[in-house]
Amino acid sequence: MTLSDIYVKEQLDEFMRSELAQKDRRGILRHQANLASTRRSWWLRIAQSLQNVVHLFHNRTN
């Protein structure tokens, strides 16, 4: 293995590491976005349920 081979291999290793780190970051961001949308839909469902209950009581009293 020549010095240039070693240099190229190190550059390649570094590149692969940075690519993996990039993928990890993207994965984490995607995961956070999914959590946020799950939380949002959960709150929407609660709000809709409450609205349904309010409508039921409102209809019952009229």
Side-chain angles (χ1 to χ4, degrees):
M1 225 185 198
T2 65
L3 266 173
S4 63
D5 288 343
I6 293 170
Y7 177 76
V8 168
K9 185 183 177 320
E10 281 178 0
Q11 290 298 308
L12 204 73
D13 286 350
E14 187 60 39
F15 172 76
M16 291 306 282
R17 266 196 298 276
S18 69
E19 278 297 293
L20 283 173
Q22 197 88 28
K23 267 194 187 133
D24 278 353
R25 271 194 296 278
R26 276 197 295 266
I28 289 168
L29 288 174
R30 194 176 310 116
H31 180 65
Q32 287 172 341
N34 288 345
L35 276 180
S37 68
T38 301
R39 214 173 291 130
R40 201 165 32 248
S41 64
W42 189 72
W43 277 112
L44 275 174
R45 244 175 295 168
I46 289 177
Q48 283 168 343
S49 300
L50 284 175
Q51 202 174 23
N52 290 343
V53 168
V54 168
H55 281 303
L56 279 174
F57 276 109
H58 185 70
N59 290 340
R60 198 167 281 170
T61 55
N62 283 346

